[in-house]
């Protein structure tokens, strides 16, 4: 079988890592996959990627990472290096420079995030992208919005761009009611109206707006509970903000969970307050569970939601607009159920794991010809 190196820049299990894992699981009988990390994987990463081959240098230093990869490429170990994220692509393209024979390089940024950097970093990074993308064989955009940004900043030739939208395992979100009720009881949520917000606790994911909107609705929904699912650098700050707003009894910080499908199913709606996205998995997962979502009206997100039909889009950073949408859904169970059904139909048709994996299979085969 042809060998593919999946190159990751972190052992944090986020959207890009989840997509990588789905590809490996879906195509593991046709290609031989190895995962590269810049460091020894965390217990969580090992748990999620169990039984898969993971390699890494002894120390996390840029020159050691690049040297490690260069030795692999010189040995002709891999036909394809699939880079997940900008740093991963940076290492691979440096490591493969001036080699007589190098692997085909596929680069999935999982969101064109470098344009969000401060001005003094943004333009040097865009310049470097243009230089290094001369070695990129295919750049995969996970949304049409990302493709438009790449074309706008002209970081790669248009003919090297391919759009493969993220997909999810829809069956994974069909959960028995007995399991839903069991978890609801364990969390003490039997008599609550439940909001759920999932994501890394990071500045990109604007959880502060979610907390502010919650503060605006507790007088109208006194039995409301907000589940915040995920870990990240802002956890302590968000917990402090929760205390300052007097929301302790309304918010549960659950940390990282491996039962996200159950948590979405026990929720009345999901909230995705985010500053930017490539193409978010949370809105797809919510639809797969037949639940409505309220999400920031930003690029990438718009491709996963039909506003007013499968969920609501709200003005980014506007706690008032978000709270208004929450109350609208709270007041109508019929609307919640109708949106959930529409969301399921939309996600099933456009964002299935099977559709995504087939597109990656065809890409791998075509690039190896």
């Amino acid at each position: 079988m042809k060998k593919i190196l999946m190159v990751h820049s972190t052992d944090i299990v986020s959207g890009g890592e989840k997509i990588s894992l789905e590809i490996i699981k879906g195509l593991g009988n046709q290609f031989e996959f190895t995962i590269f990390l810049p460091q020894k994987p965390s217990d969580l990463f090992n748990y999620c990627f169990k039984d898969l081959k993971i390699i890494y240098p002894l120390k996390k230093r840029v020159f050691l990472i690049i040297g490690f990869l260069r030795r692999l490429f010189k040995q002709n170990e891999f036909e394809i290096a699939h880079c997940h994220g900008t740093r991963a692509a940076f290492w691979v393209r440096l490591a493969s420079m001036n080699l007589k024979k190098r692997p085909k390089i596929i680069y999935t940024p999982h969101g064109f995030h470098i344009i969000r950097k401060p001005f003094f970093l943004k333009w040097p990074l865009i310049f470097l992208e243009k230089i290094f993308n001369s070695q990129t064989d295919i750049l995969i955009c996970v949304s049409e919005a990302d493709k438009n940004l790449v074309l706008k900043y002209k970081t790669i030739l248009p003919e090297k761009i391919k759009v493969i939208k993220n997909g999810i395992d829809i069956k994974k979100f069909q959960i028995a009611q007995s399991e839903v009720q069991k978890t609801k009881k364990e969390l003490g949520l039997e008599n609550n109206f439940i909001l759920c917000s999932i994501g890394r606790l990071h500045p990109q994911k604007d959880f502060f707006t979610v907390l502010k909107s919650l503060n605006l609705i507790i007088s109208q929904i006194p039995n409301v509970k907000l589940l915040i699912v995920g870990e990240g650098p802002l956890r302590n700050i968000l917990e402090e903000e929760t205390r300052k707003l007097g929301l302790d009894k309304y918010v549960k910080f659950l940390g990282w969970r491996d039962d996200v499908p159950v948590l979405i199913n026990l929720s009345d709606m999901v909230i995705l307050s985010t500053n930017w996205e490539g193409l978010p998995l949370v809105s797809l997962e919510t639809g797969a569970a037949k639940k409505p979502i309220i999400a920031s009206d930003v690029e990438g997100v718009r491709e996963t939601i039909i506003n007013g039909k499968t969920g609501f889009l709200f003005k980014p950073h506007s706690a008032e607009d978000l709270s208004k949408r929450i109350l609208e859904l709270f007041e109508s169970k019929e609307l919640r159920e109708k949106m959930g059904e529409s969301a399921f139909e939309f996600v099933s048709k456009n964002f299935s794991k099977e559709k995504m994996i087939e597109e990656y299979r065809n890409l791998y085969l075509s690039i190896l010809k």
Side-chain angles (χ1 to χ4, degrees), residues 25 103 114 139 141 153 168 174 181 187 234 246 251 271-272 276 298 330:
K25 287 179 354 188
I114 60 173
L139 186 142
C141 294
Y153 287 93
I168 61 166
Q174 313 312 301
Q181 294 305 319
L187 293 173
L234 293 184
V251 181
I271 299 169
L272 175 63
W276 68 83
V298 296
F330 167 71

Side-chain angles (χ1 to χ4, degrees), residues 59-240:
K59 293 184 179 179
K60 188 181 179 182
R61 293 177 183 168
V62 172
F63 69 92
L64 291 175
I65 292 168
I66 294 168
F68 186 98
L69 286 167
R70 190 170 180 84
R71 286 191 296 275
L72 288 179
F73 297 157
K74 279 183 175 180
Q75 294 162 8
N76 297 320
E77 282 278 327
F78 301 97
E79 282 83 9
I80 294 174
H82 188 165
C83 314
H84 295 271
T86 302
R87 277 182 296 163
F90 174 75
W91 300 331
V92 165
R93 292 175 299 188
L94 267 180
S96 63
M97 270 185 144
N98 300 319
L99 288 181
K100 289 182 180 179
K101 186 178 180 181
R102 64 165 177 82
K104 296 290 186 179
I105 297 173
I106 298 174
Y107 170 23
T108 307
H110 295 287
F112 196 46
H113 300 322
I114 60 173
I115 64 166
R116 322 289 177 185
K117 301 288 185 183
F119 181 85
F120 67 91
L121 280 177
K122 170 183 170 180
W123 290 105
L125 287 172
I126 288 172
F127 176 72
L128 287 173
E129 278 286 276
K130 289 181 179 182
I131 292 173
F132 287 123
N133 271 335
S134 63
Q135 294 190 98
T136 302
D137 293 286
I138 295 290
L139 186 142
I140 298 174
C141 294
V142 296
S143 64
E144 292 294 339
D146 266 4
K147 178 183 177 180
N148 292 336
L149 286 171
V150 171
L151 290 171
K152 176 182 175 180
Y153 287 93
K154 300 178 180 178
T155 60
I156 195 169
L157 295 172
E159 57 266 29
K160 288 187 174 184
I161 303 171
K162 183 172 180 59
V163 176
I164 300 181
K165 295 188 178 184
N166 292 337
I168 61 166
D169 185 352
I170 292 165
K171 292 178 183 176
K172 188 177 174 182
F173 292 83
Q174 313 312 301
I175 307 294
Q177 272 303 304
S178 58
E179 190 173 353
V180 171
Q181 294 305 319
K182 178 185 174 185
T183 304
K184 189 179 278 192
K185 185 176 181 180
E186 287 172 354
L187 293 173
L189 299 169
E190 292 122 303
N191 300 308
N192 293 108
F193 186 79
I194 305 165
L195 313 178
C196 185
S197 196
I198 305 163
R200 189 164 177 245
L201 308 187
H202 180 276
Q204 176 193 351
K205 312 289 185 179
D206 180 23
F207 283 97
F208 293 100
T209 294
V210 182
L211 292 174
K212 290 174 185 174
S213 70
L214 179 65
N215 197 37
L216 295 174
I217 65 170
I218 53 176
S219 61
Q220 292 151 285
I221 318 177
N223 67 331
V224 69
K225 274 285 194 296
L226 169 65
L227 308 181
I228 294 182
V229 185
E231 283 291 355
L234 293 184
R235 175 155 183 169
N236 291 339
I237 296 171
L238 287 165
E239 288 178 335
E240 179 60 28

Side-chain angles (χ1 to χ4, degrees), residues 301-315:
V301 173
R302 297 187 193 112
E303 293 178 41
T304 65
I305 295 170
I306 303 173
N307 190 31
K309 184 175 180 181
T310 67
F312 284 126
L313 295 170
F314 74 94
K315 185 179 178 181

